[in-house]
Amino acid sequence: MSHNFDPFPKYLQIRDIITRELRGLDVGTRLPTEAQLAERFAVSRETIRQAIATLEADGIITRRPRAGTVLARAVRPATDARLTGPVEDFAMVGVVTTTRPVGERRAAADPELAARLDLPPGGKVLELRRLRLRDGVPLNLLEAFVPASVAAFLERRDLRETLLIPVLRARLDPDIAEEYQEIEAITASGLMARLLEVPEGAPVLSVRRRFLDSSRTPVAYFKVHYRADRYFYTIKLPQNRRGPARRPPARPRSPA
């Protein structure tokens, strides 16, 4: 069972990492084998083949008999250094980030939050705030809300973990899954602007995520606020293999 909606498949993330690493190398440089790449990224060889195929289609690499896969043309420096994809996958594909706790409290849920967590008005929640950084620069601000009944299963050391959902799966239910994501463009202000180190009014990509256990009960609700200059959102849409829908033939009009 897949626990996370993955808007940016791993093979595309791996492709981007390989592309960055090819910058500055000489044409003809040999790439690692599929087996070596699969072991490095902890994915199947089929995933690596997909990543390699996109690089080959772009003319960046070529496959030569007995020489393996080699760099076919020089890779120019990227003009966009922003990240994309789920935070949960950053470490898996070689992106190093750190987190800094910036707040923790137990509070009564406002009406909007109570509705998100299926709680009665004023229901008790644990609120955690964490700042995620890359290279020492803020990437996103996480506001995580957990019902008090769920927080009771957590220990103090659990609250120091960088990813909360794996902890909840280990402590509560291994089948906790993400139900939806909502994406909204907002502007930074007040504490958010100060923590993200952006000016008041700077654009922010806000992603709201709700997680359910195997009985379809909400166990966590996240608001993740990304700096727009450090992150963008990509969605991989399924391909319609049947081709575009055709209009039904027009019916002849009845004589007047």
Side-chain angles (χ1 to χ4, degrees), residues 17-34:
I17 291 173
I18 293 174
T19 301
R20 289 198 297 269
E21 293 177 348
L22 292 175
R23 292 174 196 147
L25 298 182
D26 295 331
V27 172
T29 298
R30 187 173 179 177
L31 273 67
T33 65
E34 289 181 359

Side-chain angles (χ1 to χ4, degrees), residues 104-169:
E104 174 188 333
R105 66 170 184 160
R106 285 167 171 76
D110 61 29
E112 191 269 341
L113 179 59
R116 297 281 187 171
L117 291 173
D118 289 355
L119 296 174
K124 300 299 182 181
V125 297
L126 170 66
E127 177 184 349
L128 301 172
R129 289 188 179 185
R130 292 172 177 164
L131 189 66
R132 185 171 294 274
L133 306 97
R134 186 187 185 199
D135 299 327
V137 180
L139 172 65
N140 70 41
L141 172 64
L142 166 68
E143 297 177 281
F145 303 91
V146 179
S149 58
V150 174
F153 288 89
L154 299 175
E155 299 180 4
R156 171 53 52 183
R157 66 175 181 271
D158 295 332
L159 303 182
R160 295 193 294 268
E161 294 291 331
T162 59
L163 296 175
L164 182 60
I165 296 304
V167 173
L168 290 177
R169 289 189 183 125

Side-chain angles (χ1 to χ4, degrees), residues 7-20:
F8 196 57
K10 288 183 177 59
Y11 79 91
L12 293 179
Q13 299 176 52
I14 293 169
R15 175 206 63 187
D16 287 355
I17 291 173
I18 293 174
T19 301
R20 289 198 297 269

Side-chain angles (χ1 to χ4, degrees), residues 54 90 107 127 228 238 255:
T54 62
F90 285 174
E127 177 184 349

